[in-house]
Amino acid sequence: MRRRRVLAGLAGAAVTAAGCGAPGRSGSGRPGDPVVLTLLSHYATEPLESALQRAVDAWNAGHDRVHVRTTAVRFQDLLTTLMVRQAAGQGADIIHPYSLWAGQLAQAGVVRPAPPEDAARIDRGFARAAVRAASVRGRIIGYPTEVQSYALYYNKRLLRAAGVDGPPRTWRELEETAYRTARRDRHGNTLVQGFGLSRTDDATVVNQTLALLASRGGSFLQADGSRSALGSPAGRAVFALERRLIDRGASDPGIDLMKAFPAGRVAMAVSGGWWTGSLKQTMGRDYRDVAVAPVPGPAPGNRGTVTTGFLLGVNAKSRYPREAWEFLRWLNDEVVPAGPRAGRAAAVRATRMSVLQMSVGTMTGRTRDMRGLLAAGGDPNLGPFVDALDYATPEPNGPRAQKAKALLRKNIEQMWTGRLSPDDAVRKAVHQVDQELSR
Amino acid sequence: MATTVGSADEDGDGGRAGTDALGRGDEDGGRAGVRAAGSRAGAAAHRRRRRQTVVAYLFLTPSLLFFAIFLFLPLLFAVLLSLSRWAGFDLADIRPVGTENFAALFARGSSFLTPVLSNTLLYALGTVVLALTGAVLVAHCITNLRFQGLWRTLYFLPIVTTVVAVGNVWKYMYEPGGLVNGVLNALGLRSVAFLQDPATALPSIVVVQAWASLGSAILVLTAGLKAIPRSYYEAAELDGAGQFTVFTRITLPLLRPSLLFVCVTQFITGLQSFALITVMTGEGGPGDATSVAALEMYQRAFKYGDWGSASAAALVLFVLILVITLVQLWLFRRKGEDA
């Protein structure tokens, strides 16, 4: 114990001497002055930044005693910022982490379980998958805000051109449609991918694979999160499917899916609900060619996919946890009229966060809010994502989830590039992930 | 007297002063006076020296503080973390684990030795070989051209361009429908998935890194070439030596100090860099074909919250760089070059 104290002291001296050791402050601390809560999120780009700021401004206008100040960084910098500020005693009162990091943050003592009253509200008000994504070892640690379920995007024009009437409902149909829609030039360059496989980052590579895995009834980890479950027949079947699609020229992971799909050069792809907003903005009028369907299963009617998302939690070191939870309840649990910004949604009632998410083309895990807002004029392409919340599986979020995901990505990519056979890739991924989880 | 003897002692001749005092007392007064004056002068000089030393240290203090805060303390912290487990959030959570982090780096099945370290070495070596060869040839050509300043500036341009811009431009050029593949297709060849194929991804980035670092190497080498006296070339010409002989027997040997500098600095840069890789292949992909030590360290620390193994990896890389640099210095010294 003494040794640990000495180590911490030395480390503290190092950081303090480096000028980073000033304690975090929320408000002036003088009697009568309002409490100022800081909120760190990744809503650093439009329209997300303005949408969150509008909600915070509304809170600040109606609450003299507690004010909220937002700080936004790019998603790529969110974990680093969170880490560095926390170590320097400058952690924000309210944090907005990716649910994948929940276990890591809980283990490091950055977030604590939600108060019983809030936990009960979250448990009652949100879809099961959203609640599980915001929980660590069965204990809810924050309000699920943005929820992303995965579904099949398809380009109706490309499918029609290949003589395919509707979206595939089974894996067999998915493969047939992919082969029929794919086109290459005489040099072997891909003109149209039948089924796009994204290689952008861990999230896209792994989540599209986990969605297909869930559609076949499989999962990445066992229920208790202690070992990999990828070695199942479902795991091997998904890896084999992706390899087949590449070998037969229907997929080309070398092409950036995020650019190729909006350009009308990909017939189908599995991605999260957030993509609808981005596609709408990028594609303009061509967005009418885009439609969404559930991820096909091995047989018609088989359903399964994966969800991920973000949660709003209170920093364990915040001096004002009560006020922070009060703000989060106001934002995530109080039901209000949806307001004129949602167009015809004036008669609909939903939480402020649901309205905020719908206004930027994403959604919360409140299925009822989402269905109401969609019926009142939301993008119909979001429908399958809302439906998916009823049967989706949240991605694992244990303390070593990020590393396990990175290991899985590397093995998937090695399988895609032919360095490993599908079976070898499954075996290697299982071995590495188990080794990592046992640490 | 005590002061005198003491002062004489300080000057190193106390023994001689004692003998004088016993044998020739009459001369003692005069000599003692001279000595007293001398010792006073010595003491004053000593005080002056001490004052100068204090002033010198005062002037040095900002630099020493800078090094202490930004070099020594972080180094100490890194050593401490390499022997601990820490998630990066709370300093009170640092837990000592001994050499466990180092053992894990080299454990069976760990990817640190291969492919991470092997990729790092190949990346650095490839960059140095390409950049050095290219720089020697270009610098040699430039010294024989007119408008040398213009050529040097042109080759230096990649240095003043950000890595992100360089990486993205090359990434587009390497893409299946990009410029490089366009040329290959025009020649009737099939497209190559430069950054998507694990076999070609690392060499493709090595080419870009070498291209980007060519400018600084050329700058140093042209300065080195200009320092070679013309008389050697004139003598060689009189002896009838050909271009190749002159280059290998005169230019290269006399260019060795510049070559040593370029070689050492480029190798260190190559071993430490990861920005270009991040821009061009994201997270070291495909698979871990372009994963290098610095990227691995960054990911372990900031992404996986494993600061212990990240610091251990940093120290291993530090030792590796030190060893490689010492080997380079030794090799050049064997050839008679003082570093």
Side-chain angles (χ1 to χ4, degrees), chain A residues 3-4 7-8 11-12 14-15 17-18 79-80 82-84 86-87 104-105 108 110 187-189 199 201-202 254-255 259 317 400 402-403 406 409-410 413-414 417 419 435 439, chain B residues 69 73 77 80 84-96 108 172 176 185 189-191 195-196 198-199 281 283 285-288 296 298 301-307:
Chain A
R3 207 169 153 200
R4 274 183 62 187
L7 283 176
V15 175
L79 186 60
T80 311
L82 224 155
M83 208 176 261
V84 173
Q86 194 75 12
Q104 190 180 341
L105 295 175
V110 179
H187 299 294
N189 296 318
R199 234 207 73 197
D201 51 23
D202 288 347
I255 293 175
K259 287 179 189 155
K317 297 224 164 128
R400 316 220 44 101
Q402 176 74 73
K403 182 70 195 280
R409 174 191 61 83
K410 287 181 182 181
E413 286 187 358
Q414 288 193 326
T417 52
R419 282 271 168 120
Q435 201 172 33
R439 284 186 69 195
Chain B
I69 292 171
L73 273 178
F77 193 41
L80 174 85
S84 318
R85 182 170 292 176
W86 187 45
F89 294 102
D90 192 340
L91 293 172
D93 275 347
I94 298 175
R95 294 195 187 102
R108 200 167 150 266
Y172 288 124
N185 291 167
L189 300 167
R190 286 182 72 84
S191 295
L195 296 175
Q196 290 77 39
T281 60
E283 301 180 63
D288 40 23
E296 181 77 4
Y298 177 82
F302 289 105
K303 200 166 164 187
Y304 313 141
D306 193 353
W307 284 76

Side-chain angles (χ1 to χ4, degrees), chain A residues 4 9 41 78 81 101 104 108 125 136 162 184-185 262 271 322-323 360 363 374 384 406 433:
Chain A
R4 274 183 62 187
S41 83
L78 184 60
T81 309
W101 309 329
Q104 190 180 341
V136 176
R184 283 178 182 256
D185 70 9
S271 189
R322 201 167 50 83
E323 288 82 354
V360 295
M363 53 190 213
L374 275 178
V433 169

Side-chain angles (χ1 to χ4, degrees), chain B residues 221-237:
Chain B
L221 293 181
T222 45
L225 284 170
K226 281 185 177 300
I228 299 173
R230 293 295 314 160
S231 54
Y232 292 167
Y233 291 110
E234 286 160 9
E237 203 177 333

